[in-house]
Amino acid sequence: MSTALARRPVSVIPGASGLLPLARREAWRLVTSPAILVMGVYFLLIGGVGAIQDWRDLVDRAHLAEFLAYVCLLLLGPVTYISAHLVASSARRSGAGSQLEAAPSSPRRRDLALCMGVLVGPAGVALGLALLGAWVSSGVALTDPDGSTVVDWSITDVAQVPAMVLGAGILGVALARWLRFPGSLLVGFLGMCVLTLWMMAPPLPANRPWFSWFAIISWFSDVDAALAPARALAWHTAYLLAWSWIGVCAVALHHPGGRRRWLLGLGAGVLMLAGAGVGQLQDW
Amino acid sequence: MRVPTAELAAAAGPTTRAIRFTQPALMLTIALALVLWQADTLQTPATAVWTVRGAALVLIAGALTAFDDPSGLQVAAAPLPLSWRVAPRILFALAVVSIPLVVLAALAQLPIDSLALEAGALLALATGTCLMLSRRGVHEPSTAVGTALLLVPPALLLLPERAALLVPPGPLWGPAHERWAILLAAGALLLALSLRDPARPAIPRMAQRPAPLRRSR
């Protein structure tokens, strides 16, 4: 994979506003990564074949809502992780690192721009898809073999999807920085898959799924989270965002110089994580 | 064919040192974690086969990192054919996959030969693809091939019964493994093609007589 160049010269503006042009560029690289395109087509094919095998009738709103939930929960996170890791490690893999050293921007700023690009690009797409799912599922019910489940997305359900995708992308960037060896993408991917499956799979202790890096949609998860109050789901969104912030601090801490304030930020993130972790269990 | 024993002995040490052990070790840890988590499933063959397959897939993905060879360009100048240069890496990948797989299959009392056939077919296809990508200048082929490998099982599970590959022990087991044997043959062919030295002509040139010189008038 080659390192993409901006079509227009990127202005060098000190401060956070200088990151925006770079973040827009990185967001475009993330969204148009071959990983997203290939895996998107793959999942659509798999989902399409599965839907034809399972449903055998016309697609209605309930099935469309279920399909969108699958895409939001099972596709966007892994694909964003892979895309972010590939983009973050592209300079190392293509041997272009020394050329980037001459760029009028520090490596830390470029990495922060990449993290911001995850927010602008994939997380933005995830928010759009979650809103689409909420609109499609408004007021419909999906009939399962074991009864009927309401497929109505609440606002706290919708908010968790971009938070999860943001975390997945920042995890990809952080692992690409800290584990600088070939295969770190797969190690991180499989490690997260096994960990998430272990935390979400039955038999479940009462609070284990709440500590996974996964969005708990009321009707989708095995947690029976339909019983969970919206406040707990809002705390879970804060929990996911705290992980994302810790990931940003980990990315920034990889680079030398000015580490004190990022360490303070990391401490604040850990406090936020602990607070949100406890808060989500209050009403459960 | 003369086996270049001296050259092989000289190359074995540096090639082994150039193989990275970190990633296969991490993947082995993940596979062990998967097996420990699903230890209850090892009691019955119908469930154990899925756990062993999952562990084998993780191990194959880890073994592929042996083919990310940053020293490939330098080693290409050595007076050894490509197949001999890559052989230690193939042996390493085989060991990483086969030893834990045999132990797991024996523990779960599963047919070792059938599971070895499945793992061998996937490993041959993945290794051949990695080496083909390396020939085309891809520095870390394991990233793309390993990720693609993880996408294979969900697709295989959707195959219709007459073409099924991932089946539990039962009446479909035999026909499925006939299809796995075909895949293994395809993988071996791909591997053989990928091990051909790039400088070797596709068809051996016949001895040619030099063209007669023309006298200029």
Side-chain angles (χ1 to χ4, degrees):
Chain A
M1 185 170 294
S2 62
T3 302
L5 296 172
R7 286 180 188 149
R8 287 175 296 178
V10 176
S11 60
V12 182
I13 307 167
S17 58
L19 289 177
L20 283 177
L22 209 50
R24 278 204 300 268
R25 183 66 207 167
E26 298 291 7
W28 180 248
R29 287 179 71 196
L30 286 164
V31 172
T32 57
S33 163
I36 284 198
L37 299 176
V38 170
M39 290 184 73
V41 170
Y42 169 82
F43 272 93
L44 283 177
L45 282 174
I46 294 283
V49 173
I52 290 167
Q53 286 180 351
D54 291 345
W55 298 342
R56 299 190 188 285
D57 55 1
L58 290 176
V59 175
D60 54 9
R61 284 182 70 158
H63 283 134
L64 193 57
E66 188 188 19
F67 182 72
L68 280 170
Y70 272 105
V71 168
C72 285
L73 294 177
L74 302 181
L75 167 65
L76 291 180
V79 165
T80 304
Y81 164 80
I82 291 173
S83 163
H85 194 292
L86 286 176
V87 169
S89 63
S90 64
R92 177 182 63 78
R93 285 181 294 112
S94 60
S98 57
Q99 292 165 28
L100 284 177
E101 290 299 320
S105 179
S106 67
R108 177 178 286 156
R109 281 175 68 82
R110 288 198 298 273
D111 281 350
L112 291 178
L114 186 52
C115 293
M116 206 186 280
V118 177
L119 177 68
V120 175
V125 172
L127 178 63
L129 280 173
L131 286 171
L132 180 66
W135 175 70
V136 168
S137 69
S138 56
V140 300
L142 180 69
T143 307
D144 286 336
D146 54 346
S148 180
T149 312
V150 176
V151 194
D152 205 356
W153 293 38
S154 66
I155 189 70
T156 45
D157 290 331
V158 170
Q160 287 178 74
V161 175
M164 180 187 69
V165 170
L166 177 68
I170 290 173
L171 175 72
V173 179
L175 284 185
R177 285 295 163 267
W178 282 98
L179 305 180
R180 296 172 70 85
F181 53 75
S184 70
L185 186 153
L186 284 176
V187 169
F189 183 75
L190 284 171
M192 280 306 293
C193 281
V194 171
L195 195 63
T196 306
L197 285 173
W198 174 71
M199 294 185 94
M200 299 297 291
L204 294 171
N207 53 11
R208 197 206 292 162
W210 291 89
F211 290 101
S212 65
W213 201 339
F214 196 75
I216 297 176
I217 301 299
S218 306
W219 54 271
F220 185 87
S221 310
D222 290 334
V223 190
D224 196 13
L227 300 173
R231 202 167 60 174
L233 296 174
W235 275 114
H236 189 66
T237 310
Y239 173 81
L240 295 174
L241 289 173
W243 269 120
S244 303
W245 174 247
I246 289 173
V248 172
C249 293
V251 170
L253 281 170
H254 180 259
H255 302 289
R259 280 181 169 150
R260 185 177 292 172
R261 62 179 173 173
W262 287 107
L263 278 173
L264 287 173
L266 182 66
V270 172
L271 284 177
M272 196 164 78
L273 184 76
V278 172
Q280 65 186 349
L281 299 179
Q282 290 293 312
D283 299 322
W284 178 239
Chain B
M1 185 180 70
R2 184 185 79 86
V3 177
T5 319
E7 290 90 337
L8 273 178
T15 311
T16 311
R17 279 197 296 277
I19 295 175
R20 293 188 179 97
F21 292 88
T22 318
Q23 303 92 314
L26 286 171
M27 289 297 206
L28 186 61
T29 310
I30 293 173
L32 272 177
L34 180 71
V35 171
L36 286 176
W37 170 39
Q38 294 290 323
D40 294 344
T41 61
L42 297 181
Q43 305 297 327
T44 44
T47 51
V49 70
W50 299 107
T51 305
V52 175
R53 276 173 177 156
L57 196 70
V58 173
L59 290 170
I60 293 171
L64 291 182
T65 54
F67 300 97
D68 295 335
D69 183 14
S71 63
L73 279 176
Q74 283 79 21
V75 181
L80 274 176
L82 178 65
S83 52
W84 289 107
R85 293 200 303 271
V86 178
R89 294 175 185 277
I90 294 177
L91 289 177
F92 174 75
L94 264 177
V96 165
V97 177
S98 61
I99 295 171
L101 183 67
V102 168
V103 172
L104 268 178
L107 279 176
Q109 296 179 334
L110 290 169
I112 294 175
D113 50 349
S114 304
L115 288 174
L117 180 65
E118 295 178 13
L122 278 182
L123 185 63
L125 284 168
T127 304
T129 313
C130 269
L131 290 171
M132 280 291 186
L133 288 176
S134 292
R135 288 163 72 112
R136 300 180 72 85
V138 177
H139 291 293
E140 292 175 11
S142 76
T143 302
V145 180
T147 311
L149 190 68
L150 298 179
L151 300 180
V152 167
L156 293 186
L157 286 172
L158 290 175
L159 288 172
E161 197 172 284
R162 64 178 183 279
L165 285 164
L166 291 179
V167 294
L172 295 176
W173 187 262
H177 283 84
E178 287 170 10
R179 290 187 277 276
W180 277 110
I182 296 170
L183 279 182
L184 179 63
L189 182 66
L190 181 66
L191 193 58
L193 286 174
S194 67
L195 287 176
R196 274 181 70 88
D197 211 296
R200 194 174 169 189
I203 302 167
R205 290 194 186 110
M206 304 299 288
Q208 292 176 352
R209 287 171 59 189
L213 291 173
R214 288 184 182 173
R215 281 185 188 172
S216 57
R217 291 181 181 174

